[in-house]
Amino acid sequence: MLRTSLILLDMVLGTVFIPIVCSVYRNNAPVKIMLRYSRLVGLAFSCAIGITFLILGCALPHFNNWWPLFVLIFYFLSPIPTVVSRRISSSFDSASSACIELCIFLTTGIVVSAIGLPVILARTGVIQWGACGLVLAGNVVVFLTIMGYFIVFGNEDVDYSMW
């Protein structure tokens, strides 16, 4: 009963209680596997919330304009520099290297472009400001989810880093 309640609590609150549970159940491999899956489920849930904000900014009858969906291109482009940089450089934790700095620069440019596109569309009158606000809220949630993926599953020890 305690194990089930800790797993449910971790699925709700994210990765806060994982070190506590792993220290209590050191030799219990199924609990550790479930905690890894709960991290993945939490990230998928937060990404779904961000995409929902984006779709609401496009599909609500008050807005009814699908131009903000071009932000999806930036969602797909944003992890590519980090993945390439981690593949090329030997370690991401070492001192600053040109490859890592270029990765951070390109990722920042992609994120700023994703934030700027709906603002420019709203400023020119193509979309309404309410739709712009929903798209920006979706941007924040999705980009924090992408960053959370690289923080949580960036270790070489985790099975998901092979994706």
Side-chain angles (χ1 to χ4, degrees), residues 57-88:
C58 297
L60 284 177
H62 184 67
F63 306 131
N64 198 19
N65 195 341
W66 293 92
W67 283 105
L69 272 182
F70 281 108
V71 172
L72 287 174
I73 296 169
F74 297 115
Y75 293 168
F76 293 122
L77 289 178
S78 66
I80 291 174
T82 306
V83 170
V84 170
S85 173
R86 287 188 180 203
R87 183 67 108 167
I88 291 174

PDB file of all heavy atoms in Angstrom, residues 57-88:
ATOM      1  N   GLY A  57      -5.622  28.195 -29.039  1.00  0.00           N
ATOM      2  CA  GLY A  57      -5.347  29.495 -29.647  1.00  0.00           C
ATOM      3  C   GLY A  57      -5.709  29.545 -31.119  1.00  0.00           C
ATOM      4  O   GLY A  57      -5.880  30.621 -31.681  1.00  0.00           O
ATOM      5  N   CYS A  58      -5.822  28.385 -31.734  1.00  0.00           N
ATOM      6  CA  CYS A  58      -6.183  28.341 -33.153  1.00  0.00           C
ATOM      7  C   CYS A  58      -7.658  28.037 -33.377  1.00  0.00           C
ATOM      8  O   CYS A  58      -8.284  28.598 -34.259  1.00  0.00           O
ATOM      9  CB  CYS A  58      -5.353  27.262 -33.861  1.00  0.00           C
ATOM     10  SG  CYS A  58      -3.599  27.551 -33.864  1.00  0.00           S
ATOM     11  N   ALA A  59      -8.223  27.122 -32.587  1.00  0.00           N
ATOM     12  CA  ALA A  59      -9.521  26.541 -32.928  1.00  0.00           C
ATOM     13  C   ALA A  59     -10.719  27.166 -32.240  1.00  0.00           C
ATOM     14  O   ALA A  59     -11.842  26.871 -32.625  1.00  0.00           O
ATOM     15  CB  ALA A  59      -9.494  25.043 -32.616  1.00  0.00           C
ATOM     16  N   LEU A  60     -10.514  27.961 -31.219  1.00  0.00           N
ATOM     17  CA  LEU A  60     -11.678  28.556 -30.569  1.00  0.00           C
ATOM     18  C   LEU A  60     -12.445  29.409 -31.583  1.00  0.00           C
ATOM     19  O   LEU A  60     -11.841  30.095 -32.411  1.00  0.00           O
ATOM     20  CB  LEU A  60     -11.255  29.405 -29.374  1.00  0.00           C
ATOM     21  CG  LEU A  60     -10.853  28.624 -28.124  1.00  0.00           C
ATOM     22  CD1 LEU A  60     -10.388  29.578 -27.044  1.00  0.00           C
ATOM     23  CD2 LEU A  60     -11.993  27.778 -27.617  1.00  0.00           C
ATOM     24  N   PRO A  61     -13.786  29.380 -31.528  1.00  0.00           N
ATOM     25  CA  PRO A  61     -14.570  30.115 -32.534  1.00  0.00           C
ATOM     26  C   PRO A  61     -14.302  31.621 -32.538  1.00  0.00           C
ATOM     27  O   PRO A  61     -14.434  32.266 -33.575  1.00  0.00           O
ATOM     28  CB  PRO A  61     -16.026  29.846 -32.131  1.00  0.00           C
ATOM     29  CG  PRO A  61     -15.987  28.682 -31.230  1.00  0.00           C
ATOM     30  CD  PRO A  61     -14.618  28.607 -30.636  1.00  0.00           C
ATOM     31  N   HIS A  62     -13.878  32.145 -31.404  1.00  0.00           N
ATOM     32  CA  HIS A  62     -13.587  33.577 -31.336  1.00  0.00           C
ATOM     33  C   HIS A  62     -12.339  33.939 -32.145  1.00  0.00           C
ATOM     34  O   HIS A  62     -12.256  35.019 -32.736  1.00  0.00           O
ATOM     35  CB  HIS A  62     -13.422  33.986 -29.875  1.00  0.00           C
ATOM     36  CG  HIS A  62     -13.215  35.443 -29.671  1.00  0.00           C
ATOM     37  ND1 HIS A  62     -14.195  36.371 -29.939  1.00  0.00           N
ATOM     38  CD2 HIS A  62     -12.141  36.141 -29.240  1.00  0.00           C
ATOM     39  CE1 HIS A  62     -13.728  37.583 -29.678  1.00  0.00           C
ATOM     40  NE2 HIS A  62     -12.490  37.468 -29.250  1.00  0.00           N
ATOM     41  N   PHE A  63     -11.371  33.014 -32.176  1.00  0.00           N
ATOM     42  CA  PHE A  63     -10.113  33.269 -32.892  1.00  0.00           C
ATOM     43  C   PHE A  63     -10.174  32.716 -34.310  1.00  0.00           C
ATOM     44  O   PHE A  63      -9.945  33.420 -35.271  1.00  0.00           O
ATOM     45  CB  PHE A  63      -8.931  32.672 -32.136  1.00  0.00           C
ATOM     46  CG  PHE A  63      -8.840  33.129 -30.708  1.00  0.00           C
ATOM     47  CD1 PHE A  63      -8.676  32.218 -29.691  1.00  0.00           C
ATOM     48  CD2 PHE A  63      -8.928  34.466 -30.382  1.00  0.00           C
ATOM     49  CE1 PHE A  63      -8.595  32.636 -28.377  1.00  0.00           C
ATOM     50  CE2 PHE A  63      -8.844  34.897 -29.078  1.00  0.00           C
ATOM     51  CZ  PHE A  63      -8.678  33.968 -28.073  1.00  0.00           C
ATOM     52  N   ASN A  64     -10.415  31.418 -34.462  1.00  0.00           N
ATOM     53  CA  ASN A  64     -10.626  30.726 -35.742  1.00  0.00           C
ATOM     54  C   ASN A  64      -9.588  31.087 -36.798  1.00  0.00           C
ATOM     55  O   ASN A  64      -9.910  31.490 -37.908  1.00  0.00           O
ATOM     56  CB  ASN A  64     -12.037  30.998 -36.257  1.00  0.00           C
ATOM     57  CG  ASN A  64     -12.456  29.992 -37.306  1.00  0.00           C
ATOM     58  OD1 ASN A  64     -11.867  28.918 -37.401  1.00  0.00           O
ATOM     59  ND2 ASN A  64     -13.470  30.322 -38.085  1.00  0.00           N
ATOM     60  N   ASN A  65      -8.315  30.945 -36.441  1.00  0.00           N
ATOM     61  CA  ASN A  65      -7.229  31.218 -37.359  1.00  0.00           C
ATOM     62  C   ASN A  65      -6.122  30.212 -37.081  1.00  0.00           C
ATOM     63  O   ASN A  65      -5.681  30.073 -35.942  1.00  0.00           O
ATOM     64  CB  ASN A  65      -6.724  32.648 -37.162  1.00  0.00           C
ATOM     65  CG  ASN A  65      -5.857  33.095 -38.301  1.00  0.00           C
ATOM     66  OD1 ASN A  65      -5.341  32.293 -39.064  1.00  0.00           O
ATOM     67  ND2 ASN A  65      -5.692  34.411 -38.422  1.00  0.00           N
ATOM     68  N   TRP A  66      -5.656  29.528 -38.109  1.00  0.00           N
ATOM     69  CA  TRP A  66      -4.711  28.425 -37.912  1.00  0.00           C
ATOM     70  C   TRP A  66      -3.267  28.813 -38.207  1.00  0.00           C
ATOM     71  O   TRP A  66      -2.394  27.956 -38.239  1.00  0.00           O
ATOM     72  CB  TRP A  66      -5.143  27.239 -38.778  1.00  0.00           C
ATOM     73  CG  TRP A  66      -6.437  26.680 -38.287  1.00  0.00           C
ATOM     74  CD1 TRP A  66      -7.687  27.033 -38.708  1.00  0.00           C
ATOM     75  CD2 TRP A  66      -6.613  25.729 -37.246  1.00  0.00           C
ATOM     76  NE1 TRP A  66      -8.637  26.346 -38.006  1.00  0.00           N
ATOM     77  CE2 TRP A  66      -8.003  25.528 -37.101  1.00  0.00           C
ATOM     78  CE3 TRP A  66      -5.745  25.023 -36.419  1.00  0.00           C
ATOM     79  CZ2 TRP A  66      -8.534  24.658 -36.172  1.00  0.00           C
ATOM     80  CZ3 TRP A  66      -6.273  24.149 -35.502  1.00  0.00           C
ATOM     81  CH2 TRP A  66      -7.653  23.974 -35.379  1.00  0.00           C
ATOM     82  N   TRP A  67      -2.962  30.058 -38.405  1.00  0.00           N
ATOM     83  CA  TRP A  67      -1.583  30.487 -38.655  1.00  0.00           C
ATOM     84  C   TRP A  67      -0.632  30.189 -37.489  1.00  0.00           C
ATOM     85  O   TRP A  67       0.546  29.897 -37.734  1.00  0.00           O
ATOM     86  CB  TRP A  67      -1.539  31.971 -39.000  1.00  0.00           C
ATOM     87  CG  TRP A  67      -1.973  32.258 -40.398  1.00  0.00           C
ATOM     88  CD1 TRP A  67      -3.164  32.801 -40.779  1.00  0.00           C
ATOM     89  CD2 TRP A  67      -1.247  32.003 -41.587  1.00  0.00           C
ATOM     90  NE1 TRP A  67      -3.222  32.901 -42.132  1.00  0.00           N
ATOM     91  CE2 TRP A  67      -2.047  32.417 -42.666  1.00  0.00           C
ATOM     92  CE3 TRP A  67      -0.008  31.454 -41.859  1.00  0.00           C
ATOM     93  CZ2 TRP A  67      -1.647  32.306 -43.980  1.00  0.00           C
ATOM     94  CZ3 TRP A  67       0.400  31.352 -43.169  1.00  0.00           C
ATOM     95  CH2 TRP A  67      -0.411  31.779 -44.212  1.00  0.00           C
ATOM     96  N   PRO A  68      -1.071  30.260 -36.240  1.00  0.00           N
ATOM     97  CA  PRO A  68      -0.121  29.968 -35.155  1.00  0.00           C
ATOM     98  C   PRO A  68       0.396  28.532 -35.122  1.00  0.00           C
ATOM     99  O   PRO A  68       1.368  28.249 -34.424  1.00  0.00           O
ATOM    100  CB  PRO A  68      -0.930  30.262 -33.885  1.00  0.00           C
ATOM    101  CG  PRO A  68      -1.965  31.225 -34.303  1.00  0.00           C
ATOM    102  CD  PRO A  68      -2.309  30.847 -35.706  1.00  0.00           C
ATOM    103  N   LEU A  69      -0.207  27.632 -35.886  1.00  0.00           N
ATOM    104  CA  LEU A  69       0.291  26.251 -35.897  1.00  0.00           C
ATOM    105  C   LEU A  69       1.688  26.122 -36.497  1.00  0.00           C
ATOM    106  O   LEU A  69       2.329  25.089 -36.348  1.00  0.00           O
ATOM    107  CB  LEU A  69      -0.675  25.334 -36.652  1.00  0.00           C
ATOM    108  CG  LEU A  69      -1.781  24.722 -35.828  1.00  0.00           C
ATOM    109  CD1 LEU A  69      -2.621  23.797 -36.678  1.00  0.00           C
ATOM    110  CD2 LEU A  69      -1.250  23.986 -34.634  1.00  0.00           C
ATOM    111  N   PHE A  70       2.167  27.168 -37.151  1.00  0.00           N
ATOM    112  CA  PHE A  70       3.534  27.135 -37.666  1.00  0.00           C
ATOM    113  C   PHE A  70       4.569  27.073 -36.541  1.00  0.00           C
ATOM    114  O   PHE A  70       5.742  26.797 -36.784  1.00  0.00           O
ATOM    115  CB  PHE A  70       3.805  28.329 -38.582  1.00  0.00           C
ATOM    116  CG  PHE A  70       3.243  28.150 -39.966  1.00  0.00           C
ATOM    117  CD1 PHE A  70       2.146  28.879 -40.378  1.00  0.00           C
ATOM    118  CD2 PHE A  70       3.806  27.239 -40.829  1.00  0.00           C
ATOM    119  CE1 PHE A  70       1.623  28.712 -41.639  1.00  0.00           C
ATOM    120  CE2 PHE A  70       3.297  27.056 -42.088  1.00  0.00           C
ATOM    121  CZ  PHE A  70       2.198  27.788 -42.506  1.00  0.00           C
ATOM    122  N   VAL A  71       4.136  27.316 -35.332  1.00  0.00           N
ATOM    123  CA  VAL A  71       5.029  27.203 -34.175  1.00  0.00           C
ATOM    124  C   VAL A  71       5.466  25.742 -33.982  1.00  0.00           C
ATOM    125  O   VAL A  71       6.524  25.479 -33.417  1.00  0.00           O
ATOM    126  CB  VAL A  71       4.323  27.771 -32.921  1.00  0.00           C
ATOM    127  CG1 VAL A  71       5.103  27.523 -31.664  1.00  0.00           C
ATOM    128  CG2 VAL A  71       4.095  29.246 -33.095  1.00  0.00           C
ATOM    129  N   LEU A  72       4.684  24.798 -34.475  1.00  0.00           N
ATOM    130  CA  LEU A  72       5.054  23.377 -34.367  1.00  0.00           C
ATOM    131  C   LEU A  72       6.404  23.089 -35.022  1.00  0.00           C
ATOM    132  O   LEU A  72       7.132  22.208 -34.567  1.00  0.00           O
ATOM    133  CB  LEU A  72       3.971  22.495 -34.999  1.00  0.00           C
ATOM    134  CG  LEU A  72       2.673  22.357 -34.225  1.00  0.00           C
ATOM    135  CD1 LEU A  72       1.652  21.594 -35.045  1.00  0.00           C
ATOM    136  CD2 LEU A  72       2.914  21.663 -32.904  1.00  0.00           C
ATOM    137  N   ILE A  73       6.726  23.827 -36.065  1.00  0.00           N
ATOM    138  CA  ILE A  73       8.033  23.647 -36.715  1.00  0.00           C
ATOM    139  C   ILE A  73       9.158  23.936 -35.723  1.00  0.00           C
ATOM    140  O   ILE A  73      10.149  23.200 -35.659  1.00  0.00           O
ATOM    141  CB  ILE A  73       8.141  24.557 -37.954  1.00  0.00           C
ATOM    142  CG1 ILE A  73       7.108  24.144 -38.999  1.00  0.00           C
ATOM    143  CG2 ILE A  73       9.543  24.537 -38.535  1.00  0.00           C
ATOM    144  CD1 ILE A  73       6.949  25.118 -40.140  1.00  0.00           C
ATOM    145  N   PHE A  74       8.990  24.974 -34.916  1.00  0.00           N
ATOM    146  CA  PHE A  74      10.009  25.318 -33.929  1.00  0.00           C
ATOM    147  C   PHE A  74      10.081  24.274 -32.819  1.00  0.00           C
ATOM    148  O   PHE A  74      11.147  24.040 -32.256  1.00  0.00           O
ATOM    149  CB  PHE A  74       9.746  26.705 -33.345  1.00  0.00           C
ATOM    150  CG  PHE A  74       9.818  27.798 -34.367  1.00  0.00           C
ATOM    151  CD1 PHE A  74       8.691  28.523 -34.693  1.00  0.00           C
ATOM    152  CD2 PHE A  74      11.013  28.097 -35.004  1.00  0.00           C
ATOM    153  CE1 PHE A  74       8.755  29.533 -35.633  1.00  0.00           C
ATOM    154  CE2 PHE A  74      11.077  29.102 -35.945  1.00  0.00           C
ATOM    155  CZ  PHE A  74       9.949  29.824 -36.264  1.00  0.00           C
ATOM    156  N   TYR A  75       8.941  23.654 -32.480  1.00  0.00           N
ATOM    157  CA  TYR A  75       8.951  22.594 -31.473  1.00  0.00           C
ATOM    158  C   TYR A  75       9.801  21.412 -31.938  1.00  0.00           C
ATOM    159  O   TYR A  75      10.502  20.800 -31.145  1.00  0.00           O
ATOM    160  CB  TYR A  75       7.534  22.089 -31.180  1.00  0.00           C
ATOM    161  CG  TYR A  75       6.614  23.072 -30.508  1.00  0.00           C
ATOM    162  CD1 TYR A  75       5.262  22.814 -30.432  1.00  0.00           C
ATOM    163  CD2 TYR A  75       7.072  24.258 -29.956  1.00  0.00           C
ATOM    164  CE1 TYR A  75       4.386  23.701 -29.824  1.00  0.00           C
ATOM    165  CE2 TYR A  75       6.218  25.155 -29.349  1.00  0.00           C
ATOM    166  CZ  TYR A  75       4.877  24.863 -29.291  1.00  0.00           C
ATOM    167  OH  TYR A  75       4.024  25.739 -28.687  1.00  0.00           O
ATOM    168  N   PHE A  76       9.707  21.101 -33.226  1.00  0.00           N
ATOM    169  CA  PHE A  76      10.485  19.976 -33.746  1.00  0.00           C
ATOM    170  C   PHE A  76      11.951  20.339 -33.956  1.00  0.00           C
ATOM    171  O   PHE A  76      12.829  19.466 -33.848  1.00  0.00           O
ATOM    172  CB  PHE A  76       9.891  19.468 -35.061  1.00  0.00           C
ATOM    173  CG  PHE A  76       8.537  18.844 -34.899  1.00  0.00           C
ATOM    174  CD1 PHE A  76       7.447  19.333 -35.588  1.00  0.00           C
ATOM    175  CD2 PHE A  76       8.344  17.779 -34.038  1.00  0.00           C
ATOM    176  CE1 PHE A  76       6.199  18.775 -35.436  1.00  0.00           C
ATOM    177  CE2 PHE A  76       7.100  17.212 -33.871  1.00  0.00           C
ATOM    178  CZ  PHE A  76       6.017  17.699 -34.573  1.00  0.00           C
ATOM    179  N   LEU A  77      12.242  21.590 -34.244  1.00  0.00           N
ATOM    180  CA  LEU A  77      13.625  22.007 -34.488  1.00  0.00           C
ATOM    181  C   LEU A  77      14.430  22.248 -33.209  1.00  0.00           C
ATOM    182  O   LEU A  77      15.652  22.133 -33.227  1.00  0.00           O
ATOM    183  CB  LEU A  77      13.648  23.287 -35.325  1.00  0.00           C
ATOM    184  CG  LEU A  77      13.239  23.174 -36.785  1.00  0.00           C
ATOM    185  CD1 LEU A  77      13.286  24.536 -37.441  1.00  0.00           C
ATOM    186  CD2 LEU A  77      14.126  22.190 -37.520  1.00  0.00           C
ATOM    187  N   SER A  78      13.763  22.593 -32.118  1.00  0.00           N
ATOM    188  CA  SER A  78      14.500  23.025 -30.924  1.00  0.00           C
ATOM    189  C   SER A  78      15.393  21.951 -30.288  1.00  0.00           C
ATOM    190  O   SER A  78      16.478  22.291 -29.826  1.00  0.00           O
ATOM    191  CB  SER A  78      13.544  23.608 -29.890  1.00  0.00           C
ATOM    192  OG  SER A  78      12.682  22.624 -29.403  1.00  0.00           O
ATOM    193  N   PRO A  79      15.039  20.675 -30.236  1.00  0.00           N
ATOM    194  CA  PRO A  79      15.975  19.722 -29.619  1.00  0.00           C
ATOM    195  C   PRO A  79      17.105  19.269 -30.531  1.00  0.00           C
ATOM    196  O   PRO A  79      18.073  18.667 -30.052  1.00  0.00           O
ATOM    197  CB  PRO A  79      15.093  18.538 -29.219  1.00  0.00           C
ATOM    198  CG  PRO A  79      13.860  18.655 -29.986  1.00  0.00           C
ATOM    199  CD  PRO A  79      13.727  20.071 -30.424  1.00  0.00           C
ATOM    200  N   ILE A  80      17.049  19.572 -31.816  1.00  0.00           N
ATOM    201  CA  ILE A  80      18.049  19.047 -32.752  1.00  0.00           C
ATOM    202  C   ILE A  80      19.462  19.539 -32.433  1.00  0.00           C
ATOM    203  O   ILE A  80      20.400  18.731 -32.409  1.00  0.00           O
ATOM    204  CB  ILE A  80      17.635  19.349 -34.203  1.00  0.00           C
ATOM    205  CG1 ILE A  80      16.405  18.508 -34.553  1.00  0.00           C
ATOM    206  CG2 ILE A  80      18.770  19.066 -35.173  1.00  0.00           C
ATOM    207  CD1 ILE A  80      15.821  18.809 -35.905  1.00  0.00           C
ATOM    208  N   PRO A  81      19.708  20.838 -32.172  1.00  0.00           N
ATOM    209  CA  PRO A  81      21.086  21.241 -31.859  1.00  0.00           C
ATOM    210  C   PRO A  81      21.645  20.562 -30.609  1.00  0.00           C
ATOM    211  O   PRO A  81      22.817  20.186 -30.575  1.00  0.00           O
ATOM    212  CB  PRO A  81      20.982  22.755 -31.652  1.00  0.00           C
ATOM    213  CG  PRO A  81      19.776  23.163 -32.372  1.00  0.00           C
ATOM    214  CD  PRO A  81      18.837  22.014 -32.281  1.00  0.00           C
ATOM    215  N   THR A  82      20.812  20.373 -29.596  1.00  0.00           N
ATOM    216  CA  THR A  82      21.288  19.729 -28.371  1.00  0.00           C
ATOM    217  C   THR A  82      21.615  18.262 -28.606  1.00  0.00           C
ATOM    218  O   THR A  82      22.622  17.755 -28.104  1.00  0.00           O
ATOM    219  CB  THR A  82      20.232  19.871 -27.257  1.00  0.00           C
ATOM    220  OG1 THR A  82      19.910  21.247 -27.108  1.00  0.00           O
ATOM    221  CG2 THR A  82      20.740  19.322 -25.953  1.00  0.00           C
ATOM    222  N   VAL A  83      20.796  17.580 -29.377  1.00  0.00           N
ATOM    223  CA  VAL A  83      21.054  16.167 -29.676  1.00  0.00           C
ATOM    224  C   VAL A  83      22.341  16.024 -30.481  1.00  0.00           C
ATOM    225  O   VAL A  83      23.177  15.147 -30.190  1.00  0.00           O
ATOM    226  CB  VAL A  83      19.851  15.552 -30.435  1.00  0.00           C
ATOM    227  CG1 VAL A  83      20.192  14.180 -30.972  1.00  0.00           C
ATOM    228  CG2 VAL A  83      18.639  15.478 -29.532  1.00  0.00           C
ATOM    229  N   VAL A  84      22.529  16.884 -31.467  1.00  0.00           N
ATOM    230  CA  VAL A  84      23.756  16.833 -32.269  1.00  0.00           C
ATOM    231  C   VAL A  84      24.970  17.162 -31.409  1.00  0.00           C
ATOM    232  O   VAL A  84      26.017  16.501 -31.500  1.00  0.00           O
ATOM    233  CB  VAL A  84      23.637  17.789 -33.475  1.00  0.00           C
ATOM    234  CG1 VAL A  84      24.965  17.957 -34.179  1.00  0.00           C
ATOM    235  CG2 VAL A  84      22.586  17.279 -34.439  1.00  0.00           C
ATOM    236  N   SER A  85      24.849  18.155 -30.553  1.00  0.00           N
ATOM    237  CA  SER A  85      25.964  18.537 -29.696  1.00  0.00           C
ATOM    238  C   SER A  85      26.340  17.428 -28.717  1.00  0.00           C
ATOM    239  O   SER A  85      27.519  17.179 -28.486  1.00  0.00           O
ATOM    240  CB  SER A  85      25.606  19.809 -28.928  1.00  0.00           C
ATOM    241  OG  SER A  85      26.596  20.101 -27.995  1.00  0.00           O
ATOM    242  N   ARG A  86      25.354  16.774 -28.149  1.00  0.00           N
ATOM    243  CA  ARG A  86      25.658  15.672 -27.227  1.00  0.00           C
ATOM    244  C   ARG A  86      26.280  14.497 -27.953  1.00  0.00           C
ATOM    245  O   ARG A  86      27.061  13.750 -27.375  1.00  0.00           O
ATOM    246  CB  ARG A  86      24.399  15.232 -26.495  1.00  0.00           C
ATOM    247  CG  ARG A  86      23.988  16.227 -25.462  1.00  0.00           C
ATOM    248  CD  ARG A  86      22.885  15.694 -24.631  1.00  0.00           C
ATOM    249  NE  ARG A  86      22.512  16.703 -23.647  1.00  0.00           N
ATOM    250  CZ  ARG A  86      21.919  16.436 -22.527  1.00  0.00           C
ATOM    251  NH1 ARG A  86      21.605  15.209 -22.233  1.00  0.00           N
ATOM    252  NH2 ARG A  86      21.627  17.396 -21.685  1.00  0.00           N
ATOM    253  N   ARG A  87      25.914  14.297 -29.200  1.00  0.00           N
ATOM    254  CA  ARG A  87      26.485  13.200 -29.971  1.00  0.00           C
ATOM    255  C   ARG A  87      27.936  13.490 -30.350  1.00  0.00           C
ATOM    256  O   ARG A  87      28.776  12.608 -30.319  1.00  0.00           O
ATOM    257  CB  ARG A  87      25.644  12.985 -31.218  1.00  0.00           C
ATOM    258  CG  ARG A  87      26.080  11.843 -32.062  1.00  0.00           C
ATOM    259  CD  ARG A  87      25.858  10.574 -31.337  1.00  0.00           C
ATOM    260  NE  ARG A  87      24.760   9.854 -31.924  1.00  0.00           N
ATOM    261  CZ  ARG A  87      24.526   8.603 -31.644  1.00  0.00           C
ATOM    262  NH1 ARG A  87      25.302   7.965 -30.813  1.00  0.00           N
ATOM    263  NH2 ARG A  87      23.523   8.001 -32.174  1.00  0.00           N
ATOM    264  N   ILE A  88      28.225  14.752 -30.674  1.00  0.00           N
ATOM    265  CA  ILE A  88      29.565  15.110 -31.133  1.00  0.00           C
ATOM    266  C   ILE A  88      30.526  15.293 -29.967  1.00  0.00           C
ATOM    267  O   ILE A  88      31.632  14.758 -29.976  1.00  0.00           O
ATOM    268  CB  ILE A  88      29.511  16.389 -31.991  1.00  0.00           C
ATOM    269  CG1 ILE A  88      28.804  16.092 -33.308  1.00  0.00           C
ATOM    270  CG2 ILE A  88      30.903  16.921 -32.258  1.00  0.00           C
ATOM    271  CD1 ILE A  88      28.581  17.306 -34.165  1.00  0.00           C
TER     272      ILE A  88
END
